Amino acid sequence: MTTLLDYCSLVRSKNAGPFTLTFDFVCHDQSAYDRLVATGFLNKNLFATLYGAKLDDILVVNHPLALAVKVSLPRPTVQGDVHDADCYAGQQYAPLMDMEVSREVAEASEPAGTR
C-alpha cells in the first residue's frame, strides 16, 4: 500500500486565519512530486468528501518549485468556536495518512527502468 508518506517528507494541516483550513504536502524530491501530482489523489472531491466543503470553495495549488501541493478550504467550524475540537487545525490531516494513494497513474508516468 502506498501512502502520502511514500511521497512526502512533510504533511501538515493548520489554520490560515480563523475561517480557513490549509494543508501542506511537501514531497521528498522531484520524482516523488511528479508521481504524486500524476496520481490526482489530492483533488477537490477528496477534500469535499472528508471535510464537507463545497467543491467551489476548495483550492488545490501545485507548487513545482517548492515540490509541494497546498490545499485550502473553509474550516468546518470557526476557530475558537465552542464546537471547535482542534483550535489550531493541526490534526486535520490525520484522516489522509492511512489512505492508499493509487500508483497506477504514478507508475505510468515514471521513466522506463525506474520501477
Side-chain angles (χ1 to χ4, degrees):
M1 178 169 100
T2 303
T3 66
L4 283 170
L5 290 180
D6 293 313
Y7 298 100
C8 299
S9 56
L10 173 68
V11 176
R12 69 180 173 196
S13 57
K14 58 187 176 180
N15 290 324
F19 306 107
T20 304
L21 173 61
T22 190
F23 297 83
D24 298 318
F25 304 92
V26 181
C27 295
H28 297 294
D29 54 31
Q30 186 70 52
S31 175
Y33 172 79
D34 292 340
R35 287 182 288 127
L36 177 61
V37 170
T39 67
F41 177 73
L42 299 173
N43 63 62
K44 290 182 176 190
N45 287 327
L46 173 67
F47 288 88
T49 301
L50 288 177
Y51 301 97
K54 296 177 189 172
L55 289 174
D56 290 343
D57 292 338
I58 301 170
L59 180 64
V60 178
V61 180
N62 296 327
H63 293 281
L65 294 178
L67 303 177
V69 178
K70 187 170 199 85
V71 179
S72 296
L73 57 126
R75 281 181 53 97
T77 58
V78 175
Q79 180 186 15
D81 183 86
V82 70
H83 299 292
D84 184 8
D86 186 7
C87 185
Y88 298 105
Q91 303 300 313
Q92 298 302 306
Y93 69 92
L96 296 161
M97 299 311 293
D98 292 329
M99 297 179 76
E100 184 171 1
V101 178
S102 171
R103 290 193 53 116
E104 293 175 26
V105 175
E107 288 178 352
S109 68
E110 290 178 6
T114 62
R115 291 183 212 145

